[in-house]
């Protein structure tokens, strides 16, 4: 008896419609899988989906929260589109976000007397540098010693996270926090303005939108962007054309780390007004940003939209946690399932798959 | 070639069925834009060592992949031991007693030899470690292969890893063993061991087919040899009744396809000067040895030789992708031996490398591929930005001037046919107005029409006064295009002479390393004396 087998044939081209179709089908299958998980948890999947949607997008409050959460996702996600384009698989945006938060908090606490128009820009600048330098470590290890940046950037997340813990439990613990592991509240000058009746710290949002456009222009229109695209698609050709691989690897990592750092600044200066333990600052924005970048097919402008969608999912996830009494990790399961299906779906755009008998 | 004609006719099942263990008839395998096997016939006798000889791209590996079930032929029949065989997968091939050892080993680096050998077998639920170990030791003993069954793969040399691959095939009961370029990774000592093992296997009734482009191995190891050229079987010969130079002729072909209109060009000053250059290959072994050459403006210097004799390393040393371990390279009098690739490009060194895709970005548009060398300079690059209008004009201009057949400049370059891809690549390099143009295997894999246009473009560059360094395995191409020809063997120049004085027999001997002429690297010396003074080594 012959057993039917799958045969993979490389496609010469992958038309636009196929890429869109693969994405849509992947998302539908991801939803289906999530539905099974809900069912197993004893929740009616349709009700759960409805609650998620309503939570994230179905009310003014929900939308405001969704925009709020999309800010760090957008910043980190846009940065990652650039890194991934240059074939640097930066998985550590979460850690770079923490480093941005640390530097910004340090500046806010140290120079609390400074006026806002100096202090806030300095915090953003410092946060960018903090994230960028944190990302430079895996970049240099990769460019110099060919150490896999996936591992190093991921491991550095835990180092950064522990650094945050050390600071809030130790030297930075506030004087009027009744023992909680948090810093004192930043001075008013270090607090970002918000839209009325919301937590939307709009300067960061504007910065994120601006950077998305800038990164798009960088990739599409500049010499450097061209070098990044060539290096990402074919490092051999880049070398052959005399491009400096090490420079490009370092640069895309610095920028992507810097943007994640800015996301960290936004969280401490726009949401919390202080430094908290790591899980208080970020519910995994840096990791969710990977999905943001991938869903956007590495297009920084599309990342604005995907950041908004995933922000809504986070808010909706919070809503069902409370309403349907589900564990807090449910949202992370969603994210994982979605990423898995989206990446697996790409296979269909690159290969033609046949069943052979 | 009457004797060759008769040789092609051997594969008739009715009268060879007793001796032939494999018969392949009329195998046709097409890939997009190329016919890899064009009606190939092969007959392998039981218990022989059969060499499959041909240049890169001649279709040797494709033919064997068809036999091993990796590719399905578009047309043709396969007979194994007198039975018509339908081989759809390597599993089918293994069932028929055919085993293949690929050029790239397929082993799990962190596992032991024994684990690798039995990996994937469904003999029993439990891991049959002890029985397997015993059987492996028996096999190694029987065929004189030294391998420690408990060693981890990463600890083994290339030769030892290859033995593990052979063990894998034997363990699965292979009676017919196909080896793809088995000696390419081996040291001379390991090569000798391998050939001994193969001989012991045939003595035990196994049959061996090995793919090679090295003439000496064919002579040393095989009983019979089948020569392929451009997807067709040219001849099947008894090895004892032939010789290296005869095989070289069959392999590269002798008839000139086109009459080229080569204008008289006065050669100018020396552009490329290579003095005692040495370089290593990727494995750190010597690939180019004390090589000296000069290429003048307005001349084409052709380097003839069998692939893998240092050509790639030579090209990469000139373009800056590989460090020179000794010697000096100068372009227009400026030393470039240790300057980075970009600085060489700026000094007018342009290159069409043998591996096309190392110089192109498959998924990017034709326009983006065409600007790879001049995106930094105006009008393409302006300040930090790329001028999109200038790119469009530039790309459209090249597409028109070089008759690149494409829907438009935005089409990803991988969508084009091989000839058009090569034309685009050459267009890009020529458009930079190089002082030195290196063209490595510029027409390999191209059809006749595409070949001709590429040749015209190279001749036009020569007329413009560019120094052209042509590297090709196609002797016919080298001889018809070049003004002077150098023959390379094991990283050394075996002879350098005007193309019009070429003697095919001597070139064949030089390509096989059997003849070396006194080296005259400069033009004047070569023109001033008869080059045929050399004696067979």
């Amino acid at each position: 008896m012959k057993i039917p087998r799958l045969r993979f044939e490389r496609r010469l081209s992958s038309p636009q419609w196929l890429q869109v179709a693969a994405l849509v089908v992947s998302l539908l299958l991801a939803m289906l899988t999530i539905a099974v998980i809900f069912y197993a948890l004893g929740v009616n999947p349709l009700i759960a989906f409805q609650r998620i949607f309503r939570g994230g997008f179905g009310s003014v409050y929900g939308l405001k929260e969704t925009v709020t959460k999309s800010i760090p996702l957008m910043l980190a996600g846009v940065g990652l589109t650039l890194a991934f384009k240059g074939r640097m698989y930066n998985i550590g945006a979460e850690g770079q976000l923490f480093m941005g938060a640390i530097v910004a908090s340090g500046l806010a606490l140290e120079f609390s007397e400074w006026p806002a128009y100096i202090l806030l820009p300095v915090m953003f600048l410092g946060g960018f540098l903090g994230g960028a330098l944190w990302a430079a470590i895996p970049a240099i290890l990769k460019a110099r010693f060919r150490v896999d940046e996936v591992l190093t950037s991921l491991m550095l997340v835990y180092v950064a996270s522990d650094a945050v813990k050390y600071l809030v439990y130790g030297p930075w613990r506030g004087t009027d926090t009744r023992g909680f592991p948090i810093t004192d509240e930043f001075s008013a000058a270090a607090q970002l303005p918000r839209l009325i009746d919301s937590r939307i710290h709009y300067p960061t949002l504007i910065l994120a939108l601006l950077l998305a456009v800038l990164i798009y222009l960088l990739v599409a229109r500049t010499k450097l962007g061209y070098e990044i695209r060539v290096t990402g698609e074919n490092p051999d050709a880049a070398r052959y054309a005399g491009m400096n691989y090490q420079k490009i690897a370092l640069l895309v990592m610095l920028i992507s780390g810097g943007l994640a750092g800015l996301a960290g600044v936004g969280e401490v200066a726009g949401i919390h007004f202080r430094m908290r333990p790591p899980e208080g600052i970020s519910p995994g924005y840096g990791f969710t940003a990977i999905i943001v970048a991938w869903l956007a097919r590495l297009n920084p402008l599309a990342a604005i939209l995907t950041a908004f969608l995933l922000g809504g999912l986070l808010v909706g996830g919070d809503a069902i946690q409370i309403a349907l009494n589900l564990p807090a990790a449910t949202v992370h399961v969603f994210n994982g399932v979605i990423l898995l299906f989206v990446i697996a779906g790409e296979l269909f755009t690159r290969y033609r798959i046949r069943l052979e008998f | 070639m009457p004797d060759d004609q008769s040789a092609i006719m051997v594969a008739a099942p009715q009268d060879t069925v007793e001796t032939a263990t494999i018969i392949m008839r009329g195998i046709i395998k097409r890939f997009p834009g190329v016919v890899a096997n064009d009606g190939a016939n092969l007959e392998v006798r039981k218990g022989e060592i059969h060499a499959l000889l041909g240049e890169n791209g001649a279709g040797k590996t494709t033919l064997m992949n068809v036999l091993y079930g990796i590719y399905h032929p578009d047309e043709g029949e396969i007979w194994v031991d007198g039975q018509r065989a339908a081989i759809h997968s390597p599993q089918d091939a293994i069932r028929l007693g055919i085993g293949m050892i690929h050029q790239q080993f397929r082993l799990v680096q962190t596992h032991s030899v024994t684990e690798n050998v039995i990996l994937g077998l469904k003999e029993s639920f439990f891991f049959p470690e002890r029985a397997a170990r015993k059987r492996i030791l028996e096999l190694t003993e029987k065929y004189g292969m030294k391998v420690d069954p408990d060693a981890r793969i990463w600890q083994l040399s290339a030769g030892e890893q290859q033995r593990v691959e052979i063990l894998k095939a034997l363990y699965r009961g292979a009676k017919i063993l196909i080896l793809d370029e088995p000696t390419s990774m081996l040291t001379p000592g390991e090569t000798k061991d391998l050939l001994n093992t193969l001989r012991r296997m045939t003595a035990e009734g196994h049959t061996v087919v090995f793919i090679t482009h090295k003439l000496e191995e064919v002579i040393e190891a095989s009983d019979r040899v089948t020569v392929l050229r451009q997807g067709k079987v040219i001849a099947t010969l008894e090895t004892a009744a032939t010789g290296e130079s005869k095989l070289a002729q069959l392999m590269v072909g002798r008839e000139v396809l086109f009459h080229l209109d080569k204008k008289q060009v006065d050669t100018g000053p020396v552009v490329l000067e290579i003095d005692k250059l040495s370089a290593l290959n990727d494995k750190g072994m010597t690939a180019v040895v004390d090589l000296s050459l000069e290429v003048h403006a307005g001349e084409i210097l052709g380097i003839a030789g069998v692939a893998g004799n240092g050509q790639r390393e030579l090209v990469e040393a000139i373009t800056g992708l590989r460090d020179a371990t000794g010697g000096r390279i100068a372009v227009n009098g400026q030393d470039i031996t240790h300057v980075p690739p970009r600085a060489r490009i700026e000094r007018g060194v342009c290159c069409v490398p043998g591996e096309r895709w190392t110089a192109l970005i498959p998924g990017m548009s034709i326009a983006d591929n065409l600007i790879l060398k001049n995106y930094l300079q105006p009008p393409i690059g302006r300040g930090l930005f790329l001028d999109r209008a200038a790119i469009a004009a530039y790309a459209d201009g090249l597409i028109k001037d070089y008759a690149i057949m494409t829907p438009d400049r935005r089409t990803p370059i991988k969508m084009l046919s091989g000839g058009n891809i090569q034309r685009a690549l050459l267009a890009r390099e020529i458009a930079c107005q190089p002082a030195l143009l290196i063209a490595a295997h510029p027409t390999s894999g191209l059809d006749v029409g595409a070949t001709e246009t590429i040749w015209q473009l190279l001749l036009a560059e020569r007329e413009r006064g560019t120094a052209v360094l042509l590297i090709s395995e196609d002797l016919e191409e080298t001889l018809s295009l070049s003004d002077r020809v150098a023959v390379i063997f094991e990283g050394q120049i075996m002879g350098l002479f005007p193309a019009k004085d070429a003697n095919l027999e001597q070139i064949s001997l030089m390509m096989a390393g059997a003849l070396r002429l006194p080296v005259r690297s400069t033009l004047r010396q070569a023109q001033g004396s008869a080059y045929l003074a050399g004696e067979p080594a």
Side-chain angles (χ1 to χ4, degrees):
Chain A
M1 196 195 82
K2 287 221 63 133
I3 304 157
R5 291 188 306 129
L6 287 175
R7 202 168 176 94
F8 292 74
E9 263 176 52
R10 194 174 267 279
R11 281 176 188 273
L12 284 174
S13 68
S14 68
Q16 200 88 41
W17 68 262
L18 184 72
Q19 300 194 9
V20 175
L23 194 60
V24 171
V25 174
S26 305
L27 286 176
L28 285 176
L29 287 173
M31 299 257 295
L32 202 68
T33 310
I34 294 164
V36 172
I37 295 170
F38 277 130
Y39 188 77
L41 289 169
V43 176
N44 181 341
L46 287 176
I47 291 177
F49 283 133
Q50 193 209 11
R51 287 284 173 87
I52 292 174
F53 186 82
R54 271 221 321 249
F57 307 102
S59 67
V60 175
Y61 170 78
L63 278 172
K64 282 181 196 163
E65 273 303 285
T66 296
V67 172
T68 306
K69 293 202 188 246
S70 71
I71 295 170
L73 290 177
M74 205 182 296
L75 278 167
V78 164
L80 290 182
T81 62
L82 186 74
F84 296 163
K85 261 243 141 62
R87 217 186 258 204
M88 288 298 279
Y89 293 108
N90 178 9
I91 304 300
E94 183 82 354
Q96 293 139 23
L97 183 151
F98 288 140
M99 288 317 278
I102 288 176
V103 174
S105 301
L107 291 166
L109 295 171
E110 187 68 22
F111 304 108
S112 55
E113 309 298 309
W114 290 9
Y117 63 89
I118 296 177
L119 184 52
L120 284 171
V122 167
M123 282 164 66
F124 273 116
L125 199 69
F128 182 92
L129 289 176
L133 290 177
W134 206 240
I137 300 169
I140 290 168
L141 288 173
K142 164 85 169 198
R144 275 288 142 91
F145 307 108
R146 296 190 181 192
V147 180
D148 192 339
E149 78 279 13
V150 172
L151 289 174
T152 47
S153 63
L154 181 62
M155 290 304 126
L156 284 171
V157 171
Y158 303 105
V159 179
S161 163
D162 283 348
V164 172
K165 272 186 210 154
Y166 165 74
L167 290 170
V168 293
Y169 280 98
W172 286 5
R173 191 193 295 231
T175 48
D176 55 354
T177 58
R178 277 165 290 151
F180 283 110
I182 49 176
T183 64
D184 285 334
E185 190 170 276
F186 296 169
S187 66
Q191 299 187 5
L192 284 165
R194 295 167 167 181
L195 279 183
I196 318 150
D197 280 345
S198 78
R199 301 203 295 165
I200 301 173
H201 40 112
Y202 58 86
T204 325
L205 177 62
I206 294 168
L207 188 65
L209 292 170
L210 208 66
L211 283 166
V213 175
L214 276 178
I215 298 284
Y216 173 80
L217 290 177
L218 170 75
V219 172
R221 300 286 175 85
T222 67
K223 291 176 180 175
L224 179 64
Y226 178 74
E227 291 181 347
I228 292 169
R229 283 185 285 143
V230 171
T231 309
E233 282 242 15
N234 187 354
D236 283 341
R239 233 163 67 84
Y240 156 88
M243 294 174 187
N244 186 339
Y245 171 79
Q246 302 193 350
K247 184 188 95 180
I248 290 162
L250 189 63
L251 209 76
V252 295
M253 282 296 269
L254 286 178
I255 296 175
S256 76
L259 261 59
L262 291 178
V265 181
E267 292 311 290
V268 291
I271 303 289
H272 306 290
F273 304 139
R274 54 162 49 105
M275 174 83 102
R276 292 175 177 281
E279 45 303 337
I281 297 173
S282 163
Y285 288 132
F287 294 117
T288 309
I290 298 169
I291 312 175
V292 168
W294 218 263
L295 268 180
R297 304 200 68 90
L298 307 188
N299 180 332
L301 295 180
I304 297 173
L305 185 70
T306 54
F308 181 70
L309 289 176
L310 282 156
L313 189 64
L314 284 179
V315 176
D318 284 347
I320 58 164
Q321 246 178 66
I322 301 157
L324 302 175
N325 198 19
L326 286 170
T330 319
V331 183
H332 295 299
V333 175
F334 288 1
N335 285 344
V337 170
I338 291 173
L339 185 62
L340 187 71
F341 274 89
V342 168
I343 290 176
E346 292 213 342
L347 185 78
F348 292 88
T349 66
R350 265 183 256 146
Y351 293 89
R352 188 171 280 125
I353 295 163
R354 283 204 201 95
L355 202 56
E356 268 196 0
F357 294 93
Chain B
M1 288 179 246
D3 50 343
D4 305 338
Q5 288 302 320
S6 60
I8 295 173
M9 305 298 290
V10 290
Q14 52 272 26
D15 46 74
T16 47
V17 82
E18 304 94 61
T19 51
T21 180
I22 294 169
I23 297 170
M24 300 179 83
R25 282 203 305 175
I27 301 292
I28 297 180
K29 177 66 194 171
R30 297 183 193 91
F31 290 112
V34 214
V35 183
N37 288 148
D38 191 1
N41 297 316
L42 176 71
E43 179 246 282
V44 180
R45 290 179 193 153
K46 198 167 162 49
E48 74 172 348
I49 298 185
H50 195 111
L52 218 53
L53 178 71
E55 300 175 280
N56 280 356
K60 300 164 299 202
T61 303
T62 305
L63 189 63
M64 287 302 102
N65 280 339
V66 165
L67 180 59
Y68 192 56
I70 292 174
Y71 294 145
H72 197 70
D74 297 311
E75 281 172 48
E77 307 176 340
I78 302 171
W79 300 68
V80 178
D81 293 328
Q83 298 282 319
R84 178 76 192 274
I87 305 173
H88 294 290
S89 67
Q91 284 96 317
D92 290 346
I94 290 164
R95 222 169 292 135
L96 289 165
I98 300 170
M100 184 160 176
I101 287 96
H102 298 275
Q103 225 172 327
Q104 265 85 39
F105 303 139
R106 291 156 192 209
L107 299 169
V108 184
Q109 292 290 319
T110 49
H111 283 194
S112 75
V113 170
T114 308
E115 284 163 346
N116 268 281
V117 168
I118 53 184
L119 188 70
L121 284 176
K122 295 182 189 112
E123 283 176 341
S124 75
F125 178 75
F126 294 104
F127 214 64
E129 178 100 34
R130 197 175 296 171
R133 205 171 166 281
K134 193 161 155 263
R135 175 106 182 87
I136 289 168
L137 282 172
E138 279 168 26
L139 286 170
T140 53
E141 183 77 13
K142 191 167 170 188
Y143 299 112
M145 289 185 282
K146 272 173 272 159
V147 195
D148 172 6
D150 302 319
R152 306 269 150 188
I153 298 300
W154 58 267
Q155 299 169 317
L156 304 181
S157 72
E160 289 170 312
Q161 294 193 26
Q162 183 179 59
R163 281 173 226 156
V164 180
E165 286 281 8
I166 295 175
L167 280 172
K168 256 167 78 180
L170 292 174
Y171 196 91
R172 283 159 179 73
K175 301 295 285 177
I176 302 158
L177 218 60
I178 306 165
L179 296 102
D180 190 356
E181 308 248 356
T183 59
S184 59
M185 319 264 287
L186 303 187
T187 63
E190 285 177 328
T191 302
K192 232 176 106 202
D193 290 345
L194 172 70
L195 297 181
N196 276 331
T197 301
L198 296 184
R199 256 179 235 117
R200 281 169 84 157
M201 290 193 330
T202 52
E204 294 282 336
H206 287 78
T207 306
V208 173
V209 182
F210 76 92
I211 298 174
T212 185
H213 54 231
K214 292 184 188 155
L215 298 163
E216 66 209 64
E217 274 167 24
V218 174
I219 300 293
E220 197 186 330
S222 73
D223 299 309
R224 293 199 307 150
V225 49
T226 292
V227 185
L228 277 96
R229 191 167 75 221
Q230 289 170 1
K232 292 193 174 73
V233 168
I234 300 302
T236 297
L237 305 164
E238 299 282 340
T239 309
T242 184
E244 288 190 15
S245 60
K246 165 81 173 166
L247 287 174
Q249 278 175 34
L250 288 173
M251 187 167 135
V252 297
R254 57 151 55 128
E255 66 281 0
V256 175
L257 285 176
F258 316 113
H259 176 70
L260 282 171
D261 185 23
K262 247 171 100 174
K263 292 197 180 68
Q264 184 64 43
V265 175
D266 292 328
T267 49
V270 174
V271 173
L272 173 68
E273 192 185 348
I274 300 175
D275 187 30
K276 292 203 164 60
L277 178 73
S278 296
L280 305 178
N281 66 14
D282 292 340
K283 290 177 219 96
M285 283 155 32
T286 320
V288 177
V289 190
D290 280 346
L291 186 145
S292 298
L293 270 183
E294 282 179 359
V295 189
H296 294 247
E299 87 165 331
I300 298 182
L301 179 88
I303 295 195
V306 175
N309 273 294
Q311 291 96 323
R312 188 162 77 92
E313 289 80 6
L314 172 63
V315 170
E316 290 181 353
I318 301 172
T319 54
L321 295 181
R322 187 174 294 274
D323 288 333
T325 49
R328 180 174 169 276
I329 305 167
V331 169
N332 284 331
Q334 283 177 298
D335 191 329
I336 61 159
T337 320
H338 297 293
V339 309
R342 168 88 68 207
R344 302 187 197 212
I345 293 168
E346 279 159 9
R347 278 170 207 172
V349 178
C350 284
C351 172
V352 177
E355 295 86 11
R356 224 169 268 166
W357 292 115
T358 60
L360 294 167
I361 309 101
M364 282 168 69
S365 71
I366 293 166
D368 277 349
N369 273 283
L370 286 172
I371 61 166
L372 186 64
K373 285 292 174 66
N374 60 349
Y375 69 96
L376 286 174
Q377 289 99 32
I380 307 290
R382 285 187 192 282
L384 290 172
F385 290 90
L386 292 172
D387 185 329
R388 299 214 294 177
I391 293 174
Y394 181 75
D396 286 341
L398 289 185
I399 289 169
K400 188 164 157 286
D401 292 349
Y402 292 88
I404 301 164
M405 302 284 284
T406 165
D408 65 27
R409 63 170 184 276
R410 285 176 288 270
T411 309
I413 197 154
K414 66 180 173 189
M415 305 282 287
L416 302 190
S417 72
N420 279 303
I421 291 170
Q422 190 71 350
R423 225 176 341 227
L425 179 50
L426 202 55
R428 178 180 80 202
E429 298 305 304
I430 290 174
C432 296
Q433 306 214 325
L436 168 69
L437 177 65
I438 303 167
H441 316 293
T443 61
S444 81
L446 301 190
D447 61 30
V448 177
T451 299
E452 188 165 11
T453 54
I454 298 292
W455 288 6
Q456 299 296 356
L457 289 173
L458 289 175
L459 287 176
E461 270 310 283
R462 166 180 174 266
E463 278 157 36
R464 198 179 65 81
T466 309
V468 180
L469 181 65
L470 170 73
I471 284 140
S472 177
E473 281 182 87
D474 185 343
L475 198 51
E476 169 189 323
E477 171 172 87
T478 312
L479 291 179
S480 21
L481 285 178
S482 308
D483 298 291
R484 290 187 300 145
V485 174
V487 180
I488 195 168
F489 174 75
E490 290 187 347
Q492 302 185 35
I493 301 295
M494 304 301 282
L496 184 64
F497 42 83
K500 60 178 173 10
D501 298 341
N503 170 321
L504 207 65
E505 199 173 324
Q506 291 216 330
I507 293 175
S508 301
L509 286 173
M510 285 186 251
M511 280 168 68
L515 173 70
R516 182 163 193 172
L517 303 176
V519 173
R520 300 170 193 83
S521 65
T522 64
L523 180 65
R524 208 175 307 106
Q525 285 172 317
Q527 280 173 338
S529 58
Y531 83 99
L532 294 174
E535 294 294 324

